[in-house]
């Protein structure tokens, strides 16, 4: 329920940054020249995640999961929740479920967008807002969703809805 630490570092890339990326992110070639290589940063990041209660939350998590698994030679194996799917449950009538649209539509305050830490902060704000929405669902709905995902041992939302159902009936 609270931020206890954060990790943010730039990594060098082999190709020069395209002007569109420089404009979008504010990351300059000078900043990249001072950055560490991915081979040095990735082990630090994996160590940062090495906590027994670590749960990775990402928007369009498949992209991040695939990247981290490939670049870490399979060492990244953390559970991930994708906020896109949860956003579709929580906000089914919104016309888009992109992070940018959701942040704007829901009035979520964020840091610098299109930078890893800023997008993490946006995703955290979205996560917190979705938890509020899920906790406001009638207990019968939470129980039904839990009933549907409980038999699916690897379903990414299984533990979340199990916990939410326990919370509903503890009130």
């Amino acid at each position: 329920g609270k931020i206890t630490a954060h990790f943010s570092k730039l990594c060098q890339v082999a190709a020069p940054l395209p002007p569109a990326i420089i404009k979008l992110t504010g990351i300059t070639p000078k900043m990249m020249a001072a950055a560490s290589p991915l081979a040095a940063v990735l082990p630090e990041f994996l160590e940062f995640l090495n906590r027994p209660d670590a749960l990775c939350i990402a928007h369009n998590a498949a992209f991040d999961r695939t990247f981290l698994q490939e670049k870490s030679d399979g060492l990244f194996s953390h559970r991930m929740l994708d906020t896109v799917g949860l956003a579709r449950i929580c906000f089914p009538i919104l016309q888009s479920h992109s992070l940018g649209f959701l942040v704007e539509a829901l009035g979520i305050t964020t840091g610098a967008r299109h930078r890893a830490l800023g997008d993490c902060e946006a995703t955290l704000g979205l996560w917190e807002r979705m938890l509020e929405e899920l906790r406001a669902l009638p207990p019968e709905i939470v129980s039904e969703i839990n009933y549907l995902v409980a038999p699916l041992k690897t379903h990414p939302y299984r533990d979340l809805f199990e916990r939410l159902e326990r919370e509903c009936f503890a009130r």
Side-chain angles (χ1 to χ4, degrees):
K2 65 179 179 176
I3 298 172
T4 58
H6 73 270
F7 184 97
S8 178
K9 288 190 175 186
L10 288 175
C11 297
Q12 291 177 349
V13 292
L17 291 176
I21 297 298
I22 295 169
K23 183 177 179 181
L24 179 69
T25 65
I27 298 171
T28 65
K30 184 176 179 180
M31 293 164 72
M32 292 304 295
S36 299
L38 179 63
V41 175
L42 191 57
E44 290 179 53
F45 179 64
L46 293 173
E47 180 61 31
F48 172 77
L49 291 179
N50 192 19
R51 303 162 195 265
D53 58 346
L55 171 64
C56 296
I57 300 168
H59 205 74
N60 289 316
F63 172 82
D64 297 301
R65 180 186 302 111
T66 300
F67 174 83
L68 288 167
Q69 286 173 337
E70 285 177 7
K71 297 299 179 183
S72 71
D73 294 324
L75 294 175
F76 178 83
S77 60
H78 292 72
R79 292 183 314 134
M80 287 189 91
L81 283 184
D82 191 338
T83 53
V84 172
L86 283 176
R88 290 182 177 133
I89 292 170
C90 294
F91 313 109
I93 63 170
L94 290 181
Q95 62 188 2
S96 172
H97 293 93
S98 71
L99 184 59
F101 183 88
L102 290 165
V103 162
E104 188 173 319
L106 301 171
I108 295 169
T109 305
T110 67
R113 288 293 327 275
H114 304 296
R115 294 289 295 270
L117 188 56
D119 284 348
C120 286
E121 290 167 350
T123 303
L124 175 61
L126 175 61
W127 170 254
E128 290 170 341
R129 179 67 187 276
M130 289 189 302
L131 285 178
E132 290 173 14
E133 293 292 318
L134 292 169
R135 287 180 173 127
L137 288 173
E140 301 79 24
I141 300 294
V142 174
S143 289
E144 185 65 24
I145 295 172
N146 189 41
Y147 173 78
L148 293 171
V149 298
L152 308 171
K153 302 289 186 212
T154 60
H155 194 285
Y157 304 144
R158 181 175 179 258
D159 294 341
L160 172 64
F161 280 99
E162 184 179 291
R163 190 181 83 224
L164 285 170
E165 185 175 29
R166 282 195 309 269
E167 283 181 21
C168 281
F169 291 103
R171 294 183 224 160

